[in-house]
Amino acid sequence: MEIKKVALVLQGGAVRGAFTAGVLDVFLENKIYFQYVSAVSAGALNALNYLSQQIGRSKSLFTNVMSDKKFMNKKYLLTKKTLFNFDYLFNEVALERLPFDFKTYEENKAKLIVVTTSCESGQPTYHEKDVEKHFFKAIAASASLPFFSAPIKINNQFYLDGGLSTPIPFKKALEDGYKKIVVITTRDKSYRKDENKKQKEKLLKLLYGKYPRFIETTISYPKTYNIEADLLEKLEDENTAFVIRPKEPILLKRTEKNEVELEKVYYRGRKAGEETLNELIKFLNENEVKK
C-alpha cells in the first residue's frame, strides 16, 4: 500500500529510536509504504532502513550496534571530538556487519527529508534524498548530539543535531502541502521539558563558542520542544495528525548500551504499532481516497 497523500514524520530521541524501529517494522510487515518521510536525528537513521525495507535492521542497529565500542566510545571524544563514529556506521557496518540494501534504498522513489541545525544560523536546514549530494553526512549531522559531537561539515557549512531546532519535524510536511500526517514520537503524551532548568551555557560556549546563534537555539530547546509538542497535540485533536507514541515514559540514558533494555523498548514500539494498526489503516484509507 503506497501512501501518497499522508506524510510520515519521525522524531529523534537517541536510543529511544528503538521504539520507532519497532513501529516501522510493523509498517513494513504490513506493506505500509509512505511516499513522503520527514525525519530528524535517530528518526533519520530509522528512515534509511524504512526506505531500504529491511525488517529488523533498525532493531539490530539500536540494540546491538549502539553497544559496539567501534561506534560509540568515550575515547573518541579525545581523538575525534565526538562520541559517535558515523564513518564506521555507514561503511563497515553498512557493507559488512549489517549489510544495508543500497539497491532497494536507491530505487525507492519516496521523498525523504532530513533536518539538521545550522551552526551558523541556529536554524533548521532540510536535506533531501537524491538532491543533497552528501546525504549520509546530513544523516550523521542530524543525529550528532550536542556536547557529544563536533559539528559536521557539508558544502562548506557546519551542522549538528536537527532536533535542537526542530524537535518533531512535522511543520515541513505541512509546508510541503500535506493535509494529514502520521507521527511517531519517542515521548509519552504528557512529557514536556522543564523550561526553568539551568542550561549548560558555559560548556556550550567552550565547545561551540564561535557559533552564538547555535548556542541560543540549544538554550531555547526546551521551550521549542514544548511549543511543538503542544501544537502536535492540537493537530491530533483536529484529526490532522495520527500519533503513535509510548504510553509510558521510556526511561533510558541517551547513551544506553544495555542490549536487554534497548530490546525492551523496540518491542514496546512493535506493540504500539500493532495496537494502533487497524486505526491507522482506517485513517490512511479515509485520507488516501480524498481528492
Side-chain angles (χ1 to χ4, degrees):
M1 165 194 259
E2 285 193 356
I3 311 302
K4 297 180 179 179
K5 297 181 181 179
V6 181
L8 176 63
V9 178
L10 306 178
Q11 185 185 19
V15 292
R16 293 194 309 277
F19 177 87
T20 303
V23 178
L24 291 179
D25 274 355
V26 173
F27 285 7
L28 289 173
E29 288 164 3
N30 287 275
K31 302 188 186 308
I32 299 173
Y33 305 125
F34 287 84
Q35 298 305 294
Y36 180 105
V37 183
S38 176
V40 67
S41 195
L45 294 173
N46 270 307
L48 290 177
N49 299 314
Y50 177 66
L51 263 66
S52 70
Q53 300 180 5
Q54 290 177 272
I55 297 170
R57 189 175 189 276
S58 281
K59 175 180 181 287
S60 296
L61 179 67
F62 282 96
T63 60
N64 302 130
V65 178
M66 287 297 174
S67 62
D68 187 340
K69 288 185 178 180
K70 287 186 178 181
F71 174 59
M72 184 165 62
N73 195 320
K74 290 180 180 178
K75 291 181 181 179
Y76 293 154
L77 289 170
L78 297 175
T79 60
K80 301 174 181 289
K81 295 185 179 180
T82 182
L83 183 66
F84 309 101
N85 185 352
F86 285 104
D87 286 338
Y88 170 67
L89 184 68
F90 293 136
N91 287 285
E92 186 175 332
V93 172
L95 296 174
E96 299 173 14
R97 178 176 169 183
L98 196 61
F100 181 69
D101 188 344
F102 285 95
K103 184 175 185 294
T104 298
Y105 166 80
E106 289 166 1
E107 291 178 351
N108 195 323
K109 299 304 180 184
K111 179 178 284 191
L112 173 57
I113 307 288
V114 168
V115 59
T116 62
T117 298
S118 165
C119 292
E120 283 80 3
S121 70
Q123 296 299 305
T125 300
Y126 298 98
H127 310 262
E128 184 177 338
K129 173 185 178 283
D130 299 329
V131 174
E132 169 64 68
K133 182 180 178 181
H134 305 289
F135 190 68
F136 282 85
K137 269 193 174 183
I139 297 278
S142 184
S144 291
L145 303 175
F147 304 111
F148 297 106
S149 308
I152 291 181
K153 187 177 182 180
I154 306 171
N155 300 324
N156 295 316
Q157 298 291 319
F158 289 90
Y159 302 93
L160 277 168
D161 184 7
L164 295 171
S165 56
T166 310
I168 314 170
F170 57 86
K171 290 181 181 177
K172 176 63 174 170
L174 298 175
E175 289 170 1
D176 284 350
Y178 286 84
K179 305 298 183 184
K180 300 286 182 174
I181 54 177
V182 171
V183 185
I184 303 175
T185 75
T186 57
R187 293 289 193 184
D188 58 285
K189 190 171 185 177
S190 66
Y191 179 83
R192 295 295 185 274
K193 298 282 185 182
D194 181 358
E195 295 182 27
N196 295 315
K197 184 178 179 180
K198 190 175 181 181
Q199 300 298 308
K200 300 175 182 178
E201 192 169 349
K202 288 185 178 179
L203 183 55
L204 281 168
K205 288 181 177 178
L206 178 65
L207 295 173
Y208 311 111
K210 62 181 179 179
Y211 303 119
R213 291 179 180 173
F214 174 79
I215 293 173
E216 289 174 8
T217 296
T218 304
I219 291 172
S220 300
Y221 167 64
K223 182 178 181 180
T224 303
Y225 179 92
N226 292 343
I227 289 171
E228 291 201 351
D230 288 345
L231 178 54
L232 179 60
E233 201 166 319
K234 181 174 181 289
L235 293 173
E236 186 177 19
D237 290 340
E238 295 170 350
N239 199 39
T240 296
F242 185 97
V243 185
I244 302 174
R245 55 166 70 88
K247 290 181 179 179
E248 303 294 334
I250 296 175
L251 304 176
L252 292 176
K253 297 180 295 183
R254 288 203 295 178
T255 56
E256 180 63 64
K257 291 186 175 184
N258 187 305
E259 292 185 32
V260 173
E261 294 303 316
L262 292 167
E263 194 168 89
K264 286 179 183 177
V265 173
Y266 167 81
Y267 282 108
R268 284 180 63 181
R270 281 197 62 90
K271 184 177 180 182
E274 290 165 351
E275 289 180 344
T276 58
L277 184 61
N278 290 337
E279 202 177 339
L280 170 66
I281 292 173
K282 181 181 178 182
F283 177 85
L284 294 175
N285 285 336
E286 287 175 349
N287 292 289
E288 284 295 301
V289 297
K290 289 181 179 179
K291 294 182 181 180

